[in-house]
Amino acid sequence: MGHNVDPITNRFWDIESSGQTTLAGGTGQTTLAGGTGKTTEEKKTFLTFCDAGLGFSNFWNINPELNNGYPYLYNSNCITNNDIIIILPSDLKALLKNAYPNLFNPSTTLSFELSSPEIVRIDIYNVKGQLVKSLVKGAYNTGKHSIVWEGKDNKGDPSCSGVYFYKMQAGIYSQPQQMMLMK
């Protein structure tokens, strides 16, 4: 028994970046049942999608500065293009690593790396979000650094067993991590 399958229309792939001018089942140089091949330039313009009858501007956007100029999901009710920040690995200014050891007793080492000098702050919080210990607050040079937490709060009292969160703030960069104290 055969099935009637409607061809997919108004769907595109980039023939230049993919190196594919046809796909299995294709019926022409740049057309197939699953869509149409377009050049890189065509894939990076609103006209390609609007001419196909898609409500492109309601869900997608194109900005040459983002996503290598290709379309990306966009919702005008949530966030503006100017507020979108994409951090590529080569752009990272700071990296907070996992605590070691994690599960720990009586202490653990928190390590971080900086690609430029920064004012660094590392705070430790309990699962309720309450500040337990301000571990670090000061200027650090470029490179690898580590600090030991002895499992004590700001008063010097031992902390209870449980899950803790630590957050590093280095300039505008912020990163949280999780660790567990076992006694």
Side-chain angles (χ1 to χ4, degrees), residues 37-55:
K38 297 287 186 181
T39 66
T40 299
E41 184 177 329
E42 290 172 317
K43 285 285 292 173
K44 294 182 178 183
T45 64
F46 280 111
L47 194 56
T48 294
F49 303 95
C50 294
D51 283 351
L54 300 175

Side-chain angles (χ1 to χ4, degrees), residues 34-135:
T36 305
K38 297 287 186 181
T39 66
T40 299
E41 184 177 329
E42 290 172 317
K43 285 285 292 173
K44 294 182 178 183
T45 64
F46 280 111
L47 194 56
T48 294
F49 303 95
C50 294
D51 283 351
L54 300 175
F56 191 76
S57 61
N58 295 332
F59 303 102
W60 295 88
N61 203 356
I62 294 178
N63 180 335
E65 304 290 319
L66 300 173
N67 197 31
N68 291 324
Y70 287 100
Y72 57 90
L73 282 173
Y74 170 76
N75 184 333
S76 60
N77 296 325
C78 295
I79 191 167
T80 65
N81 287 344
N82 294 335
D83 295 328
I84 296 173
I85 299 172
I86 298 173
I87 299 176
L88 301 173
S90 62
D91 293 339
L92 290 177
K93 302 292 182 200
L95 176 64
L96 179 62
K97 298 185 178 187
N98 292 327
Y100 183 81
N102 186 12
L103 303 168
F104 71 95
N105 182 17
S107 66
T108 189
T109 301
L110 310 178
S111 299
F112 60 97
E113 292 182 36
L114 301 173
S115 63
S116 62
E118 294 285 352
I119 302 297
V120 175
R121 179 179 182 141
I122 298 177
D123 293 320
I124 299 172
Y125 300 89
N126 62 22
V127 293
K128 295 179 182 178
Q130 300 166 323
L131 179 66
V132 173
K133 176 79 173 174
S134 292
L135 196 59

